[in-house]
Amino acid sequence: MILVIDTNCLLVSIPKLSATRWLFDALKSGIFEFGISTEILEEYEAVIGGFYSPNLATNVVELLPNLDNAIWVTPFYRWNLISDQDDNKFVDCALACQADYIVTHDKHFNVLSSITFPKVNILTMQELKDILAIS
């Protein structure tokens, strides 16, 4: 399974005591493949650095592209399927790496369920946890 992980989901899964830490651990252990682009890494770094610390952000953005399950892509086409322009980088990455799902809690992505082409599926973290059968 190939996923693209929205920043909001990655952010809450980083702390070791987080109830959603399972996502970060699954990502690191290679339970699934994940798509990543320069734009996404830059957003991860800015948001994690602003919310936690610049040092933690640096560690995360150095780790992710070096994992064996990372699929590095450079989207060459901008689909502009979401009204929040900042979220389109995740859709473009998902299409470029042929992701099965975007994992997000952002309601802006809900519009994707009504778009038949190109088809981009979304999951919440709980739906992903159920699919992966993580307790």
Side-chain angles (χ1 to χ4, degrees):
M1 177 171 22
I2 302 172
L3 306 174
V4 172
I5 302 171
D6 192 11
T7 306
N8 58 24
C9 294
L10 181 65
L11 183 71
V12 299
S13 74
I14 293 173
K16 290 187 184 215
L17 298 178
S18 170
T20 56
R21 175 62 184 216
W22 61 266
L23 176 64
F24 193 70
D25 290 341
L27 180 120
K28 290 190 319 179
S29 65
I31 290 177
F32 52 80
E33 294 179 292
F34 67 98
I36 195 112
S37 68
T38 300
E39 283 183 292
I40 290 174
L41 268 184
E42 288 171 351
E43 180 171 310
Y44 286 171
E45 185 171 31
V47 174
I48 294 167
F51 193 83
Y52 295 121
S53 75
N55 190 37
L56 178 61
T58 299
N59 290 340
V60 171
V61 300
E62 287 178 0
L63 168 74
L64 294 179
N66 291 304
L67 293 172
D68 290 338
N69 55 326
I71 300 171
W72 189 264
V73 295
T74 303
F76 290 102
Y77 189 80
R78 306 291 180 204
W79 289 91
N80 293 314
L81 299 179
I82 298 181
S83 61
D84 183 347
Q85 291 301 305
D86 210 32
D87 290 332
N88 278 303
K89 69 176 78 62
F90 296 96
V91 176
D92 296 339
C93 178
L95 291 166
C97 73
Q98 299 178 349
D100 297 294
Y101 302 100
I102 296 174
V103 181
T104 186
H105 288 290
D106 189 332
K107 302 291 185 219
H108 290 115
F109 287 88
N110 290 347
V111 70
L112 297 174
S113 64
S114 65
I115 298 172
T116 57
F117 183 83
K119 190 65 185 156
V120 181
N121 298 305
I122 61 170
L123 287 177
T124 65
M125 288 178 70
Q126 184 59 53
E127 290 168 331
L128 176 61
K129 187 176 183 183
D130 293 345
I131 290 170
L132 297 176
I134 295 175
S135 54

